[in-house]
Amino acid sequence: GGSTPRQTVINIFISFVGAGMLGMPYAFSRSGWALGVMCLCAVSTANVYCMLLLVKTRRRLELNGHRNIEGYGDVGRIVLGEQGETLVNTCLIISQVGFATAYIIFIAANLTSIFPGIGRAVICYGCVPMLSVLVQVKDMAVL
């Protein structure tokens, strides 16, 4: 797209770090400090390892002559065939729906504290059309 590196970094930060931080206080309140820190370190280590493994896999595939790798689904197709591509894309859809649902619930929880007369479900359903329009924006520079 036409976004600057700064806009891209901000978008990644908001998408990943921001969304993960929303549930962090609740997770620590349920697990306690010791288990919470251990689980956070384990999950963070697994995430970094998988991220590096994806980069390494793509580079190796490109060295083996595979070109035009544009996304995770392409890597899944090359490694595991059409079923691999379907599996990877299905997992991506499930995770994105989960992130979006958690974000909408977070927005509704905050707005119900500001507008106590409006139910949380009404706010959730009210957010969907507005967010549906926003996700159609292809270039962050217009925002």
Side-chain angles (χ1 to χ4, degrees):
S3 61
T4 66
R6 182 173 182 243
Q7 289 171 323
T8 302
V9 168
I10 290 170
N11 188 35
I12 290 171
F13 180 79
I14 290 170
S15 298
F16 293 105
V17 177
M21 295 304 283
L22 298 177
M24 197 72 68
Y26 177 74
F28 270 83
S29 74
R30 301 295 293 170
S31 66
W33 279 100
L35 182 61
V37 169
M38 287 189 303
C39 288
L40 180 63
C41 289
V43 170
S44 297
T45 301
N47 279 330
V48 169
Y49 173 75
C50 290
M51 177 186 65
L52 295 173
L53 188 60
L54 272 170
V55 173
K56 185 177 179 179
T57 302
R58 180 181 177 154
R59 286 183 181 155
R60 177 153 312 157
L61 290 172
E62 287 175 342
L63 285 174
N64 291 336
H66 297 283
R67 300 285 181 237
N68 299 327
I69 299 173
E70 296 181 10
Y72 299 120
D74 294 335
V75 174
R77 181 179 23 75
I78 293 168
V79 174
L80 298 172
E82 293 297 323
Q83 292 175 334
E85 182 178 20
T86 301
L87 175 66
V88 168
N89 288 334
T90 300
C91 289
L92 286 171
I93 290 169
I94 290 169
S95 69
Q96 293 301 312
V97 168
F99 294 144
T101 302
Y103 188 64
I104 289 171
I105 291 170
F106 174 76
I107 291 171
N110 285 309
L111 288 178
T112 51
S113 65
I114 297 170
F115 306 107
I118 303 174
R120 191 177 283 188
V122 172
I123 293 173
C124 284
Y125 289 120
C127 287
V128 172
M130 180 179 58
L131 292 173
S132 297
V133 170
L134 283 175
V135 299
Q136 302 305 314
V137 176
K138 301 282 187 221
D139 187 359
M140 286 179 44
V142 300
L143 298 176

